[in-house]
Amino acid sequence: MSAREYDVIVIGAGAVGENVADRAVQGGMSTVIVEAELVGGECSYWACMPSKALLRSAAALRAARDVDGATQAVTGEVDVAGVLRRRNRITHDWDDASQVSWLDGAGIDLLRGHAEFTGVKRVRVTAADGTVTDLVARHAVAVATGSAPLLPDIPGLREIEPWTSRDATSAQTIPASLAILGGGVVGAEMATAYAGFGTTVTLIVRSRLLSSMEPFAGDLVAASLARLGVSLRTGVEVTAAHRTDRNAVLALSDGGRVVAEQVLVAVGRTPRTTDLGLESIGFSPGAWLSVDDTLLVKGTDWLYAVGDVNHRALLTHQGKYQARAAGDVIAARAKGHPVADAPWGAHVATADHDHIPQVTFTDPEVASVGLTEAAARAAGRRIRVLDYDLSWIAGASTYADAYQGMARAIVDEDRGVLIGATFAGANVAELLHSATVAIVGEVPIERLWHAVPSYPTLSEVWLRWLEEYGRPAPH
């Protein structure tokens, strides 16, 4: 049986793979995308979109209760059935027809099934019915298979059949009690969501909550979770697990235990590379695929790894950024053009290093970009830290009667530019892109004085940071 030939093969039709394929097609490359599950991938059906849908209703209710005049109108609690209905609509009931239609319109061929390498630029796809199709790429193969939840090796944990993030975001019934392992973004967001449903939540954190972020962010979120009734167990680990007739029982390293109807494990991610046949092309199954800034897998001239699978920045928007760049680079190289001629320039994914924006949709929201104070000092930067209490800003009082929040800017003193910013508070997510532009654009502090924030908005924090830093002397 002869193989079907394409210029580019993309493995994985999530948001990242879709963008690689789209940019390749726009660059004149014939492209096929292979998907074993749903077109649209993790973000559309089990991560970004359903998780935010689960969070929104209770957040809106809390926001109303924080404002006199609105709080009197709130007479009920969250309608959990309504939240789940809305989540189901947002995920299209886990039906990918609309995403498939988009592929058709973009000129991207779709092949459903499990992909496995059989050699250099060669991929075999096995469909659910056992049908086998061999593919060969003239120019490039891009792996965009993403990552999966990590299940730690804790005695008895696998046997109690815990939830992963997929189960938590797609659940059709809500447990009375939930124990969550992990204090990162997934753990904090799901603790917020399920506490909003009235579930009794215990959050078990080995170190501190949101430990990769500025400490004040984790502190504000921890205080909020406590107000929502979440029991936060920090500095402990789960050492063993077993299940009774009705509940799971978790033994803790401090001698305590947690009993809950359901357990969610959110302690990290692992690459989806275990069953791709990587050994046939000289790589280890189950490994992250290391790439350069053009997303080319090191040691090859044809294999690209884009999104979570390369372990550079496990965020959908960063994966899509990489994908747009990779698709352009593949097309440029196929035509013999220098990579510098691609729209993204010679170094296409440099924002993955120090300029990564991220929003954690807890209550309060946490929005951050660039380096934290600790990371900047560890990198040997000479910095100045600018802190401002967001409750002091006039615009904050329009959001809540007792607004709580904090903002921190990190200034590189040697260059006079921002290299990091973190906001924690209600409605701070929309502040983040202004900080991202200032950091990526390396806008001098003295120029930021002429970017006047509107009054009364939370954006006035930019003026307050500048005032704290000190007005530059006139020239």
Side-chain angles (χ1 to χ4, degrees), residues 314-339:
L314 278 66
L315 295 162
T316 297
H317 48 277
Q318 290 298 125
K320 290 165 70 174
Y321 159 75
Q322 295 174 11
R324 292 187 294 268
D328 286 346
V329 167
I330 289 169
R333 285 175 169 153
K335 296 172 184 176
H337 296 164
V339 173

Side-chain angles (χ1 to χ4, degrees), residues 297-364:
V297 175
K298 294 176 181 178
T300 77
D301 62 1
W302 61 276
L303 182 63
Y304 293 76
V306 192
D308 281 15
V309 76
N310 64 36
H311 209 227
R312 287 167 68 101
L314 278 66
L315 295 162
T316 297
H317 48 277
Q318 290 298 125
K320 290 165 70 174
Y321 159 75
Q322 295 174 11
R324 292 187 294 268
D328 286 346
V329 167
I330 289 169
R333 285 175 169 153
K335 296 172 184 176
H337 296 164
V339 173
D341 290 346
W344 295 83
H347 298 288
V348 296
T350 52
D352 288 341
H353 300 304
D354 294 331
H355 304 148
I356 300 171
Q358 179 175 11
V359 178
T360 304
F361 291 87
T362 43
D363 185 1

Side-chain angles (χ1 to χ4, degrees), residues 231-429:
S231 174
L232 186 59
R233 306 288 294 270
T234 58
V236 296
E237 299 181 70
V238 175
T239 58
H242 71 273
R243 187 172 286 281
T244 65
D245 290 341
R246 299 183 60 182
N247 293 301
V249 181
L250 305 178
L252 304 182
S253 57
D254 63 359
R257 70 173 193 164
V258 172
V259 179
E261 181 181 331
Q262 189 54 262
V263 174
L264 165 61
V265 178
V267 295
R269 308 287 294 182
T270 186
R272 292 184 183 273
T273 60
T274 55
D275 56 357
L276 292 180
L278 288 178
E279 63 276 10
S280 70
I281 54 172
F283 293 93
S284 300
W288 302 100
L289 295 174
S290 181
V291 299
D292 64 18
D293 281 347
T294 69
L295 291 313
L296 186 69
V297 175
K298 294 176 181 178
T300 77
D301 62 1
W302 61 276
L303 182 63
Y304 293 76
V306 192
D308 281 15
V309 76
N310 64 36
H311 209 227
R312 287 167 68 101
L314 278 66
L315 295 162
T316 297
H317 48 277
Q318 290 298 125
K320 290 165 70 174
Y321 159 75
Q322 295 174 11
R324 292 187 294 268
D328 286 346
V329 167
I330 289 169
R333 285 175 169 153
K335 296 172 184 176
H337 296 164
V339 173
D341 290 346
W344 295 83
H347 298 288
V348 296
T350 52
D352 288 341
H353 300 304
D354 294 331
H355 304 148
I356 300 171
Q358 179 175 11
V359 178
T360 304
F361 291 87
T362 43
D363 185 1
E365 292 174 345
V366 179
S368 60
V369 59
L371 300 179
T372 62
E373 177 185 1
R377 295 194 189 283
R381 306 290 185 93
R382 190 172 69 90
I383 63 170
R384 183 170 171 189
V385 178
L386 308 176
D387 284 338
Y388 200 82
D389 188 326
L390 289 175
S391 69
W392 298 342
I393 293 176
S397 65
T398 67
Y399 284 110
D401 294 340
Y403 191 99
Q404 292 186 321
M406 180 66 69
R408 170 171 290 177
I410 309 296
V411 180
D412 184 323
E413 288 284 75
D414 292 325
R415 294 189 296 134
V417 297
L418 264 64
I419 57 173
T422 298
F423 309 92
N427 299 287
V428 298

Side-chain angles (χ1 to χ4, degrees), residues 206-244:
R206 184 171 58 183
S207 55
R208 65 177 178 85
L209 192 64
L210 301 177
S211 60
S212 65
M213 302 178 188
E214 297 286 9
F216 69 80
D219 292 344
L220 284 167
V221 173
S224 174
L225 288 173
R227 289 192 295 273
L228 293 177
V230 174
S231 174
L232 186 59
R233 306 288 294 270
T234 58
V236 296
E237 299 181 70
V238 175
T239 58
H242 71 273
R243 187 172 286 281
T244 65

Side-chain angles (χ1 to χ4, degrees), residues 54-139:
L54 293 178
L55 284 157
R56 177 57 188 160
S57 298
L61 187 61
R62 288 191 295 270
R65 285 175 170 161
D66 284 342
V67 181
D68 193 12
T71 187
Q72 291 84 352
V74 179
T75 58
E77 300 299 323
V78 168
D79 181 343
V80 176
V83 175
L84 299 183
R85 283 196 304 272
R86 182 171 182 267
R87 185 274 318 273
N88 292 350
R89 289 196 301 272
I90 286 175
T91 59
H92 300 282
D93 289 309
W94 291 271
D95 184 310
D96 64 0
S98 62
Q99 301 264 19
V100 171
S101 178
W102 179 86
L103 288 180
D104 290 341
I108 302 165
D109 285 357
L110 170 64
L111 186 58
R112 291 190 184 272
H114 173 71
E116 186 175 0
F117 286 100
T118 56
V120 172
K121 298 183 184 178
R122 303 190 72 89
V123 174
R124 175 164 293 166
V125 180
T126 304
D129 64 1
T131 302
V132 174
T133 304
D134 286 322
L135 303 173
V136 60
R138 299 184 188 95
H139 297 291

Side-chain angles (χ1 to χ4, degrees), residues 109-196:
D109 285 357
L110 170 64
L111 186 58
R112 291 190 184 272
H114 173 71
E116 186 175 0
F117 286 100
T118 56
V120 172
K121 298 183 184 178
R122 303 190 72 89
V123 174
R124 175 164 293 166
V125 180
T126 304
D129 64 1
T131 302
V132 174
T133 304
D134 286 322
L135 303 173
V136 60
R138 299 184 188 95
H139 297 291
V141 179
V143 178
T145 49
S147 63
L150 174 67
L151 192 64
D153 188 18
I154 296 172
L157 185 62
R158 192 176 299 273
E159 286 72 23
I160 69 170
E161 298 182 341
W163 276 0
T164 67
S165 55
R166 279 194 171 199
D167 300 299
T169 58
S170 62
Q172 298 297 328
T173 58
I174 302 302
S177 54
L178 176 67
I180 302 175
L181 280 64
V185 172
V186 172
E189 286 189 348
M190 289 300 96
T192 305
Y194 276 81

